[in-house]
Amino acid sequence: MVNVVGLGYIGLPTALMLASHGVQVVGTDYNTQLVETLKGGKTTFKEDGLDELFEQAVKAGIQFSDRYQETDLYIVSVPTPYDEKSKKVDASYVEKAVEAVLAVCPKGATIVIESTISPGTMDRHVRPLVTEKGYVIGKDINLVHAPERIIPGNMVYELVHNSRTIGADDREIGEKVKEVYASFCQGEIVVTDIRTAEMTKVVENTFRDINIAYANELAKICRSDNMDVYEIIRIANKHPRVNILQPGPGVGGHCISVDPWFLVGDYPGLANIILAARKINDSMPEFVLERVHNIMKERGMTDVGRVGLYGLTYKENVDDMRESPTLQMLESMEKHLCGNLVKVYDPYITGDIVPNQYHDLDEFLENIDLVVLMVGHDEIKQNLRKLAGKVILDTRGIVCDMADTVYKL
Ligand code: SAJ
């Protein structure tokens, strides 16, 4: 039996996937409300294919509990934020989860950490917890790091088809854990050591952050000299060895905007491009705000209350608002004392999160003159005609219209 600890964005789909492929699974989370929701037959976030997977897993007998189970294999998937001050990984959730597991697990158990951790986290934060209990690592308890790679919006597909990394002290244990993942994973599963697995995961997300920062810097350069950054990236990407990502209003989510900080925190003075990229991406919400200000000035608009932000989530077609550029922009607006005036709408956010939030696209559009497209949800892509007559600031490059009412980043 596998006890999956932490039933969030990664733990839940992983638990469901294992269960629906014949593995006996108990999913544990200390959030009793979340466990009750799952027991009541409902998933806790929206994701393509997740409800279907949930149904299959329930049929296969998955169980949910707020208790840690006594078993021989644990998969820990809890948040790893970064410490605001030191920029280093905040491993406290991982530590608490491992402590809870160690309190119940039998000797010989394997603890797999799936959460993203910076290189050396296992050595500094996890191994001491095991040895303090008097256990010998590799004999009484085995430690493994198997970072996930799935992208929100396409998680279910990627769980099955992506390649995976398994980091283990001991090759044999690595191979055993590989077998468990191979129950559903059709991609290549590479077995390596723990530190390599830790570093590889952080390196992957940092690569994407740097690439997006390059696109964002190009957007600023092109804006300053009246060039079309989208057209330039489109043409440059026809080169067989060039693949520049897209500029946007900032980098959100709990991965790409967080993981590079681990390297900055752990290797100050060495992580220079990485730090610069973080700063560029973090500057984007303020850059969009400046664009709004300039467009309003150019068009003689004075009422911030007629400005609407479309999209609250950190990216398209997900309901996740963590580190969302829109929320960062609203924070900036608050500093300029206009944060509570602007109107906001997102089809994925049903609760009331910010002031002047609408829950109907038509009603939202009726009440604004300038719409800032912060997120390219399919909903707006399918309803672009509804924007007729509005001034549009498109931060996602989704509007092809060349009218003089359409502004790009
Ligand atoms: N973004 C851009 N321009 C782009 C692509 C993305 O501005 O061209 C923005 C998005 O709008 C969003 C942010 O970047 O705000 C991050 O979104 P994302 O879709 O690039 O990535 P995440 O954070 O949803 O998921 C990433 C993925 N990592 C990589 O692609 C290297 C995923 O595979 C990881 O599993 C995930 O992080 C994670 O959990 O670590």
Side-chain angles (χ1 to χ4, degrees), residues 286-400:
E286 190 71 38
F287 180 71
V288 176
L289 192 53
E290 247 175 69
R291 290 283 293 137
V292 172
H293 181 74
N294 290 337
I295 292 165
M296 286 181 74
K297 216 158 116 190
E298 185 185 317
R299 305 203 72 96
M301 297 167 71
T302 49
D303 184 1
V304 181
R306 300 292 298 174
V307 175
L309 307 184
Y310 177 92
L312 265 168
T313 60
Y314 82 93
K315 69 171 185 179
E316 69 285 357
N317 306 326
V318 298
D319 61 1
D320 187 344
M321 287 186 295
R322 291 178 297 174
E323 319 293 327
S324 135
T326 306
L327 291 178
Q328 288 172 43
M329 196 167 133
L330 285 168
E331 234 174 73
S332 268
M333 288 180 119
E334 265 161 37
K335 281 186 214 141
H336 299 285
L337 303 176
C338 55
N340 58 346
L341 298 174
V342 73
K343 310 231 164 31
V344 185
Y345 164 78
D346 190 311
Y348 280 85
I349 306 301
T350 44
D352 284 316
I353 304 293
V354 291
N356 303 315
Q357 189 184 335
Y358 286 76
H359 296 285
D360 178 82
L361 178 62
D362 295 325
E363 205 190 321
F364 165 69
L365 292 174
E366 266 163 36
N367 284 282
I368 57 171
D369 299 321
L370 166 59
V371 58
V372 187
L373 300 178
M374 296 292 288
V375 184
H377 290 310
D378 284 348
E379 184 213 42
I380 196 67
K381 287 186 181 162
Q382 285 152 10
N383 282 292
L384 287 177
R385 61 194 158 75
K386 291 194 175 175
L387 301 181
K390 305 286 172 210
V391 177
I392 303 168
L393 170 55
D394 175 14
T395 73
R396 293 287 186 175
I398 53 178
V399 182
C400 298

Side-chain angles (χ1 to χ4, degrees), residues 10 116 148-152 158 201 204-205 208 212 245-248 250-253 255-256 259 314-316 325 396:
I10 302 300
T116 302
E148 55 76 25
R149 271 181 176 155
I150 53 178
I151 196 149
E158 290 205 350
K201 167 68 197 195
E204 291 163 6
N205 278 352
R208 197 160 166 85
I212 298 169
L245 290 170
Q246 294 297 303
V251 169
C255 311
I256 297 197
D259 301 354
Y314 82 93
K315 69 171 185 179
E316 69 285 357
R396 293 287 186 175

Side-chain angles (χ1 to χ4, degrees), residues 63-106:
Q63 286 174 36
F64 301 106
S65 171
D66 55 3
R67 293 215 162 159
Y68 298 79
Q69 308 294 306
E70 193 181 330
T71 185
D72 53 2
L73 182 60
Y74 297 85
I75 295 181
V76 175
S77 205
V78 294
T80 41
Y82 70 91
D83 178 79
E84 288 279 347
K85 224 169 146 203
S86 70
K87 309 295 187 202
K88 290 175 193 265
V89 67
D90 170 359
S92 56
Y93 294 93
V94 172
E95 288 170 6
K96 280 195 194 100
V98 170
E99 273 168 351
V101 166
L102 287 172
V104 295
C105 73

